[in-house]
Amino acid sequence: MEDSKQSHRYCPWCGVGFLPTHKHCENCGSVRASGRMTAYLIPKKPWRKILYEQQPYPDNYFDETLFLQGLRRNTAHVPYEYWDVVVDSAVVVMQITTVTLFTALFLHTQQGTFSLSGLYTLCICMGVVGMAFRLLLQPYRSLSQFTSHVRSVILLFLFVWMLSPILQTLTESLSDDTIIALAISLFIVHLFTQDYSYLSGLSQKFTAPVSLNAAIFASIILVSRLPSIHHTFAMVLIAIELFALLPILRHIIKVYGTSMDLLFTWSAASITTLTFLPISTLFTIFFVVSLLSVTFVSPAWLINVQQYKNTIHGPWDEAIPTRTGANWKG
């Protein structure tokens, strides 16, 4: 009986020892009670998710009844429609077509089935048609802007002409197998690192320098195998038009309208198929099957695997600052 009237020597909530003069626990703030059972009759404060107040709970405590109330699944899930994905796949189809078209032109030039005058004619026609589309769909704001772009293109062509003798002998010490393997690897890097957001019209700035550099480098090591400086110069110009200037035109066409983008994409794919057919029937079939797979099979697979997506979010996630309120100053 006498022992039951003595004050607790240890806090019944956190186990921290009391000093003789203490009336509250220094750790959790619980009231020091007398008797063995009295402390358990004192109601415990309900737990709150705050840090500015001492509570009679361990630091890692969380109310089990509230733990799953904040559970959220697939908060960023966007259901895809099959035909929308099919239309959006055109940017990938066009990129594969661009790489294949350049390869076909290189092989025709190397085999002698495409003359030097034909290369220069094709280069000029591509530039004129591209500029015409540019002026028609997105006119320049001023004459000075137009002349500045034309001046930049002319300087680039002159720079390529001066470097052509060096480029034509760049890979003399390398074998053909090494050149082919390196070019294939670089074109794969180009395809996987391309800025498809820009090509789809979702962004206004091209942000894929690795993709552009890989494509230009692959083109240079291929054209270094051509028989003359003039062939090298013409093919480098075509590579610049296909890999550096064409993405800008494709972005403009995509912003202008989806129908025109689809027409442009599949027209280029048809021309590329006809260009590659005399070189290799087997590769042409592989190219057509690849385009059809990217266009129709891959969207179906993407929509099918969406059912397995399961992301979990809740109060345990790290806080993400957002710009809210009229007084935000960035």
Side-chain angles (χ1 to χ4, degrees):
M1 188 71 180
E2 183 178 351
D3 183 46
S4 64
K5 295 181 180 179
Q6 294 179 353
S7 299
H8 284 284
R9 298 174 59 187
Y10 298 94
C11 176
W13 305 115
C14 63
V16 176
F18 288 116
L19 294 178
T21 57
H22 283 179
K23 295 183 179 181
H24 296 82
C25 175
E26 290 185 338
N27 183 50
C28 66
S30 300
V31 179
R32 184 179 185 181
S34 299
R36 294 177 178 175
M37 303 301 298
T38 309
Y40 295 95
L41 298 177
I42 300 175
K44 198 173 183 180
K45 293 181 179 180
W47 178 82
R48 295 190 297 166
K49 190 179 178 181
I50 56 176
L51 295 175
Y52 56 82
E53 181 179 306
Q54 186 70 36
Q55 301 184 82
Y57 298 92
D59 292 340
N60 61 347
Y61 177 83
F62 197 92
D63 193 342
E64 296 182 359
T65 62
L66 303 176
F67 183 69
L68 294 180
Q69 286 187 358
L71 178 64
R72 292 171 289 120
R73 295 178 181 271
N74 299 334
T75 56
H77 174 70
V78 179
Y80 295 119
E81 295 293 335
Y82 175 76
W83 289 110
D84 291 340
V85 181
V86 169
V87 172
D88 292 338
S89 66
V91 293
V92 182
V93 170
M94 186 62 197
Q95 203 61 35
I96 298 174
T97 300
T98 303
V99 173
T100 308
L101 177 60
F102 177 82
T103 306
L105 293 175
F106 164 74
L107 293 176
H108 275 294
T109 305
Q110 189 181 44
Q111 295 173 5
T113 56
F114 208 73
S115 64
L116 180 61
S117 59
L119 282 179
Y120 280 122
T121 303
L122 176 63
C123 180
I124 294 173
C125 289
M126 290 173 58
V128 171
V129 172
M131 182 60 70
F133 270 100
R134 171 69 167 83
L135 295 175
L136 178 65
L137 301 180
Q138 193 181 77
Y140 287 98
R141 291 188 294 267
S142 62
L143 181 61
S144 60
Q145 185 184 21
F146 172 74
T147 54
S148 175
H149 285 184
V150 172
R151 190 184 306 112
S152 300
V153 172
I154 294 175
L155 290 176
L156 177 62
F157 286 178
L158 292 176
F159 183 71
V160 172
W161 171 252
M162 290 187 294
L163 289 180
S164 294
I166 300 175
L167 300 179
Q168 204 265 334
T169 59
L170 186 64
T171 60
E172 283 186 346
S173 60
L174 300 179
S175 65
D176 291 340
D177 293 339
T178 302
I179 294 299
I180 293 173
L182 185 57
I184 293 175
S185 301
L186 289 171
F187 277 134
I188 291 175
V189 172
H190 165 71
L191 291 175
F192 278 94
T193 59
Q194 181 62 277
D195 186 3
Y196 293 104
S197 296
Y198 177 77
L199 299 179
S200 301
L202 301 178
S203 62
Q204 299 300 320
K205 185 178 181 181
F206 183 78
T207 57
V210 175
S211 176
L212 177 59
N213 292 334
I216 295 299
F217 186 41
S219 304
I220 288 175
I221 63 175
L222 284 178
V223 302
S224 64
R225 294 307 210 200
L226 295 179
S228 70
I229 297 175
H230 298 283
H231 289 87
T232 301
F233 172 66
M235 284 300 299
V236 171
L237 292 185
I238 291 176
I240 293 174
E241 290 178 341
L242 289 177
F243 299 117
L245 301 180
L246 183 59
I248 301 175
L249 178 61
R250 289 169 56 193
H251 171 80
I252 296 173
I253 293 176
K254 183 65 176 181
V255 172
Y256 182 81
T258 302
S259 300
M260 181 176 290
D261 178 66
L262 292 176
L263 178 62
F264 181 79
T265 298
W266 286 105
S267 298
S270 302
I271 293 173
T272 303
T273 302
L274 296 176
T275 305
F276 220 109
L277 188 59
I279 300 174
S280 173
T281 304
L282 180 61
F283 186 85
T284 303
I285 295 174
F286 174 76
F287 170 68
V288 173
V289 172
S290 299
L291 296 189
L292 295 178
S293 299
V294 170
T295 304
F296 298 106
V297 178
S298 296
W301 173 80
L302 175 63
I303 293 175
N304 181 62
V305 298
Q306 270 197 309
Q307 59 183 315
Y308 303 107
K309 183 177 182 179
N310 185 24
T311 58
I312 299 176
H313 303 272
W316 53 83
D317 291 340
E318 295 182 0
I320 301 177
T322 57
R323 295 189 176 189
T324 58
N327 296 325
W328 174 272
K329 294 182 179 180

